[in-house]
Amino acid sequence: MENNRYDQGVKKLAEIDGTAGENVIASLQNVAPDLGKYIIEFAFGDIYCRCGLNLQEREMVTITSLLTAGGCEPQLEVHINGALNVGISPKKVVETFLQCIPYTGFPKVLNAITVAKKVFADREIILK
Amino acid sequence: MENNRYDQGVKKLAEIDGTAGENVIASLQNVAPDLGKYIIEFAFGDIYCRCGLNLQEREMVTITSLLTAGGCEPQLEVHINGALNVGISPKKVVETFLQCIPYTGFPKVLNAITVAKKVFADREIILK
Amino acid sequence: MENNRYDQGVKKLAEIDGTAGENVIASLQNVAPDLGKYIIEFAFGDIYCRCGLNLQEREMVTITSLLTAGGCEPQLEVHINGALNVGISPKKVVETFLQCIPYTGFPKVLNAITVAKKVFADREIILK
Amino acid sequence: MENNRYDQGVKKLAEIDGTAGENVIASLQNVAPDLGKYIIEFAFGDIYCRCGLNLQEREMVTITSLLTAGGCEPQLEVHINGALNVGISPKKVVETFLQCIPYTGFPKVLNAITVAKKVFADREIILK
Amino acid sequence: MENNRYDQGVKKLAEIDGTAGENVIASLQNVAPDLGKYIIEFAFGDIYCRCGLNLQEREMVTITSLLTAGGCEPQLEVHINGALNVGISPKKVVETFLQCIPYTGFPKVLNAITVAKKVFADREIILK
Amino acid sequence: MENNRYDQGVKKLAEIDGTAGENVIASLQNVAPDLGKYIIEFAFGDIYCRCGLNLQEREMVTITSLLTAGGCEPQLEVHINGALNVGISPKKVVETFLQCIPYTGFPKVLNAITVAKKVFADREIILK
């Protein structure tokens, strides 16, 4: 059953973050492999595999939380990609960030938009 | 047009937060009435009236941001009520908070659940 | 010279925070007396005694920092009193908090205004 | 094996937090039972059961992190008790908090000391 | 009247942040133009145009809030420039940051001073 | 006696942070020399010279606090080096960070591990 958590987590991580997620896990291999294991088992195997919210809703919650926390630009980059991967439109990513202005102020939203801009450019997305 | 922002904001605030929202604005009357004005005009008149996300999505973003910021229990109480008012189920409120665990850790989620518990009790909601 | 820091700090603390400051120090006596000593010596003896900003400017910086940090309501209460004690008007305290909205969002400003409201009531201040 | 995680977590939680930990889990039963399950399985079953740090070191890290995060007073109360339960002396709890001053500033340390004071009083601990 | 807010905001932004402010707005044009609009209308048109604090006081509050929030280095760079543009001396910028030490601890002050150092170098300011 | 604080602080700083600490102080010389003085006198002369925790425990508290605060990567780099300098093993540094997961969530731990990875590489440390 434990195995299930890991295997399900790997599948879920691939579904959401694609190779970016794998790269994060791989980058931990020589310094803190168990951190990668917990991200897979707990974050993706336990939490992302739950019912009650679909993957688009989960990614909307995730990028909101990362924007609000601040200082999580590398994770925000992975999960803006994740949000797009599960079908959230680029416009909706931006709209999610704008909804945060009254609760976080402008600077954190500006920082998140800067990351979104980079992700959109990498994916050759042009907003109209 | 300025008037529009205020009037639209008042309507949106009533739609989402009901009397709890009005109480927040009223409580500011003698000390910082302009703060109430900005909440109505900017947060509710400008931001909540935008297209691109529906009200349920906006409240999901809001309660996620408030949970992650921490120390916003009074606002979280207003917006858990707001989330329920716009049709998010109590179970989905809880699920939104659980999705935050990997990104905020347990203490902030525990604090948010404590507020949710109070709101659910006030509204005589029993989760099954 | 060390003595100077402590003595100067005690004087400065009394000048700014009056008995509220003394109460904080006294409340630490049985559990962490050195914390009180460092607050007096370092915060008030070293920092508040510096040139380059006057006491009104220092208190404006302090209440801004406490509002932005969040979760510092007890210290905010002491320093809103401090701000008033050194001659900042109640209106200017409120204005300082409103200036933070674009940088912190509404919830932290609402929390600070709630504390200000209590302080103003305690001092029987009525804003017009 | 999954069972192992839960059972080990329950044992570890009891060892550290005693009935206070059980109370937190019980209080979640009607609103978010899975949150309690994850705290037991992941926080206590996975993380606290690891090698590499002893329980005193783990609790020292925990109370430092909770102090620094801010707004986690309920969890800080549980884990100051936890720190004392695993054999950290009351003086060492206070010393841990004082070590944070240069990194967090005074207000968060004052808030943590206020919680420690309450815990020490509850346990009839008198510091000399 | 709505127009007034935008036009006044543009003027105020130019007065405070000069071309750096315009660059921020321009950089948002292709990804989130409404974010730029809100910064101009709300932050600069509504808040910065208020009475009750002069521009030097507003910038002092702003750089204090940005230092305390942390992770806002790009905004801090814009507003340290803004502070200098409205007549705050470089020494007073540094003094404002030092006043934060007791409330935020050293690391955030060090990060802010690092940004100030860069701004002073860009403007060929030498502190004596 | 004041002199004592400075001299003791310089010694303690050298003992913990070696040349990296000196570099931080030196980098402040032209912009905010008093900030360097306070770090030496207060952080290292007063706090780090206290009894009640040994240097390994103090550095464990420090890196935990810096991880939890977020946005303090430069200081974390100095103090991961400091932790290693006073005899904490690289594995124990990593273990300290893993203990934070339940309290801070994964992103802050990932950011701290990224810094640790750089420090370990700089020191040619290979974890087994």
Side-chain angles (χ1 to χ4, degrees):
Chain A
M1 223 165 112
E2 185 71 8
N3 255 16
N4 265 359
R5 296 172 69 232
Y6 188 85
D7 292 348
Q8 287 191 330
V10 165
K11 250 189 265 175
K12 196 55 83 179
L13 178 64
E15 186 182 348
I16 298 170
D17 290 335
T19 50
E22 287 168 36
N23 291 346
V24 171
I25 303 303
S27 77
L28 298 170
Q29 216 44 54
N30 295 321
V31 60
D34 285 354
L35 178 54
K37 183 166 110 58
Y38 293 136
I39 291 175
I40 288 174
E41 283 179 356
F42 180 65
F44 288 90
D46 283 349
I47 302 296
Y48 273 91
C49 284
R50 291 177 59 85
C51 307
L53 292 177
N54 61 38
L55 277 189
Q56 292 194 10
E57 290 168 325
R58 290 195 185 279
E59 282 302 313
M60 190 177 287
V61 168
T62 296
I63 60 176
T64 299
S65 186
L66 290 170
L67 175 154
T68 307
C72 299
E73 282 73 13
Q75 292 79 32
L76 206 43
E77 185 176 337
V78 170
H79 282 283
I80 292 172
N81 275 295
L84 299 172
N85 291 342
V86 299
I88 300 182
S89 74
K91 275 214 158 163
K92 210 163 168 176
V93 168
V94 170
E95 196 61 37
T96 299
F97 292 165
L98 296 191
Q99 173 64 19
C100 294
I101 304 173
Y103 302 102
T104 66
F106 289 106
K108 287 183 170 175
V109 178
L110 280 164
N111 288 341
I113 289 289
T114 301
V115 181
K117 226 180 137 169
K118 181 186 176 306
V119 171
F120 295 168
D122 289 350
R123 295 171 81 118
E124 299 182 13
I125 290 168
I126 294 167
L127 288 178
K128 293 154 234 185
Chain B
M1 223 163 113
E2 185 73 10
N3 256 16
N4 264 0
R5 294 173 70 233
Y6 188 86
D7 293 348
Q8 287 191 330
V10 166
K11 248 189 269 176
K12 196 56 82 181
L13 178 63
E15 187 182 348
I16 297 169
D17 290 335
T19 51
E22 287 168 35
N23 291 347
V24 171
I25 304 302
S27 77
L28 298 170
Q29 216 45 56
N30 296 320
V31 60
D34 285 355
L35 177 55
K37 185 166 107 58
Y38 294 135
I39 290 174
I40 288 173
E41 284 178 358
F42 180 64
F44 288 90
D46 283 349
I47 303 294
Y48 273 91
C49 285
R50 292 176 58 85
C51 307
L53 292 177
N54 62 38
L55 278 189
Q56 292 194 7
E57 291 168 325
R58 290 196 185 277
E59 282 302 313
M60 190 176 287
V61 168
T62 297
I63 60 175
T64 298
S65 186
L66 290 170
L67 175 154
T68 306
C72 299
E73 281 75 12
Q75 292 80 32
L76 205 44
E77 185 176 337
V78 170
H79 282 284
I80 292 171
N81 275 294
L84 299 172
N85 291 342
V86 300
I88 300 182
S89 73
K91 275 213 158 164
K92 209 162 167 176
V93 168
V94 170
E95 195 61 37
T96 299
F97 292 165
L98 296 191
Q99 172 65 19
C100 294
I101 303 172
Y103 303 102
T104 67
F106 289 105
K108 287 182 170 177
V109 177
L110 280 164
N111 287 343
I113 289 288
T114 300
V115 182
K117 225 180 139 171
K118 180 184 177 308
V119 172
F120 294 169
D122 289 350
R123 296 170 80 117
E124 300 182 12
I125 290 168
I126 294 168
L127 288 178
K128 291 155 237 186
Chain C
M1 223 164 113
E2 185 72 8
N3 256 17
N4 263 1
R5 294 173 69 233
Y6 188 85
D7 293 347
Q8 286 191 330
V10 166
K11 249 189 264 175
K12 196 56 81 178
L13 177 65
E15 187 181 348
I16 297 169
D17 291 333
T19 50
E22 287 169 35
N23 291 346
V24 171
I25 303 303
S27 77
L28 297 171
Q29 215 47 53
N30 296 320
V31 60
D34 285 355
L35 177 55
K37 183 166 109 58
Y38 293 135
I39 291 174
I40 289 174
E41 284 178 358
F42 180 64
F44 288 90
D46 283 350
I47 303 294
Y48 274 91
C49 284
R50 292 176 59 85
C51 307
L53 292 177
N54 62 38
L55 278 189
Q56 293 196 6
E57 291 168 324
R58 292 195 182 278
E59 283 301 312
M60 188 175 289
V61 168
T62 296
I63 61 176
T64 298
S65 186
L66 290 170
L67 175 153
T68 305
C72 299
E73 282 74 11
Q75 292 80 31
L76 205 44
E77 185 176 337
V78 169
H79 281 285
I80 293 171
N81 274 296
L84 299 172
N85 291 343
V86 300
I88 300 182
S89 74
K91 277 213 157 165
K92 210 163 167 176
V93 167
V94 170
E95 196 61 37
T96 299
F97 292 165
L98 297 190
Q99 172 64 20
C100 294
I101 303 172
Y103 302 103
T104 66
F106 289 105
K108 288 184 169 176
V109 177
L110 280 164
N111 287 343
I113 288 289
T114 300
V115 181
K117 225 180 138 171
K118 181 185 176 305
V119 171
F120 294 168
D122 289 350
R123 297 171 79 120
E124 300 182 12
I125 289 168
I126 295 167
L127 288 179
K128 291 155 235 186
Chain D
M1 221 164 117
E2 186 73 8
N3 256 17
N4 263 0
R5 294 173 69 234
Y6 188 84
D7 292 348
Q8 286 190 331
V10 167
K11 246 188 268 175
K12 196 57 82 178
L13 179 64
E15 186 181 349
I16 297 169
D17 289 335
T19 52
E22 287 168 36
N23 291 346
V24 171
I25 303 303
S27 77
L28 297 170
Q29 214 47 50
N30 296 320
V31 61
D34 285 355
L35 178 54
K37 183 166 110 58
Y38 294 136
I39 291 175
I40 288 173
E41 282 178 359
F42 180 64
F44 288 91
D46 283 350
I47 303 295
Y48 273 92
C49 285
R50 292 175 59 85
C51 307
L53 292 178
N54 62 38
L55 279 188
Q56 292 195 7
E57 290 168 325
R58 291 196 184 276
E59 282 302 312
M60 190 176 286
V61 167
T62 296
I63 61 176
T64 298
S65 185
L66 291 170
L67 175 154
T68 306
C72 300
E73 282 74 12
Q75 292 80 31
L76 205 43
E77 186 177 336
V78 169
H79 281 284
I80 293 171
N81 275 294
L84 299 172
N85 292 343
V86 299
I88 300 182
S89 74
K91 276 213 157 164
K92 208 161 168 178
V93 168
V94 171
E95 195 62 37
T96 299
F97 292 165
L98 296 191
Q99 172 65 18
C100 293
I101 304 172
Y103 302 102
T104 67
F106 289 106
K108 288 183 170 177
V109 177
L110 279 163
N111 287 342
I113 289 288
T114 300
V115 182
K117 225 180 138 170
K118 182 184 175 307
V119 172
F120 294 168
D122 289 351
R123 296 171 79 119
E124 299 182 14
I125 290 168
I126 295 168
L127 289 178
K128 289 154 237 184
Chain E
M1 224 166 113
E2 186 72 9
N3 256 15
N4 265 358
R5 294 173 70 232
Y6 188 85
D7 293 348
Q8 286 190 332
V10 166
K11 247 188 267 173
K12 195 57 80 180
L13 178 64
E15 187 182 348
I16 297 169
D17 290 334
T19 51
E22 287 169 36
N23 291 347
V24 171
I25 303 303
S27 77
L28 298 170
Q29 215 46 52
N30 295 321
V31 60
D34 285 355
L35 177 55
K37 185 166 106 62
Y38 293 137
I39 291 174
I40 288 173
E41 283 179 359
F42 180 65
F44 288 91
D46 283 349
I47 302 295
Y48 273 92
C49 284
R50 292 177 58 84
C51 308
L53 292 178
N54 61 39
L55 278 188
Q56 292 194 7
E57 291 168 324
R58 291 195 184 277
E59 282 301 314
M60 189 177 286
V61 168
T62 296
I63 59 175
T64 298
S65 187
L66 290 170
L67 174 154
T68 306
C72 299
E73 281 74 12
Q75 293 80 30
L76 205 44
E77 184 175 339
V78 170
H79 282 283
I80 292 171
N81 275 294
L84 299 172
N85 291 342
V86 299
I88 300 182
S89 73
K91 275 212 157 165
K92 210 163 166 176
V93 168
V94 170
E95 195 61 37
T96 299
F97 292 165
L98 296 191
Q99 172 63 22
C100 294
I101 303 172
Y103 302 103
T104 66
F106 289 105
K108 288 183 170 176
V109 177
L110 279 164
N111 287 342
I113 288 288
T114 300
V115 181
K117 224 178 139 171
K118 180 184 176 307
V119 172
F120 295 168
D122 289 351
R123 298 171 79 120
E124 300 182 13
I125 290 168
I126 295 168
L127 288 179
K128 291 154 234 184
Chain F
M1 221 165 118
E2 187 70 9
N3 255 17
N4 265 0
R5 293 173 70 232
Y6 188 86
D7 293 347
Q8 287 190 330
V10 166
K11 249 189 265 176
K12 195 58 80 177
L13 178 63
E15 186 182 348
I16 298 169
D17 291 334
T19 52
E22 285 168 38
N23 290 347
V24 171
I25 303 303
S27 77
L28 298 170
Q29 215 47 52
N30 295 321
V31 62
D34 285 355
L35 178 54
K37 183 167 109 58
Y38 294 136
I39 291 174
I40 288 173
E41 283 179 357
F42 180 63
F44 288 90
D46 283 349
I47 302 296
Y48 273 92
C49 285
R50 291 176 60 84
C51 309
L53 292 177
N54 62 39
L55 277 188
Q56 293 195 7
E57 291 168 324
R58 291 195 183 279
E59 282 303 312
M60 190 177 286
V61 168
T62 295
I63 61 176
T64 297
S65 186
L66 290 170
L67 174 155
T68 306
C72 299
E73 281 75 12
Q75 293 80 30
L76 206 44
E77 184 175 339
V78 170
H79 282 283
I80 292 171
N81 275 295
L84 299 172
N85 292 341
V86 299
I88 300 182
S89 74
K91 277 213 156 163
K92 209 163 168 176
V93 168
V94 170
E95 196 60 38
T96 299
F97 292 166
L98 296 191
Q99 172 64 19
C100 292
I101 303 172
Y103 302 102
T104 67
F106 289 105
K108 288 183 171 177
V109 177
L110 280 164
N111 288 342
I113 289 288
T114 301
V115 182
K117 224 178 139 171
K118 181 184 176 307
V119 171
F120 295 167
D122 289 350
R123 296 171 81 119
E124 300 183 11
I125 290 169
I126 295 168
L127 287 180
K128 293 154 235 186

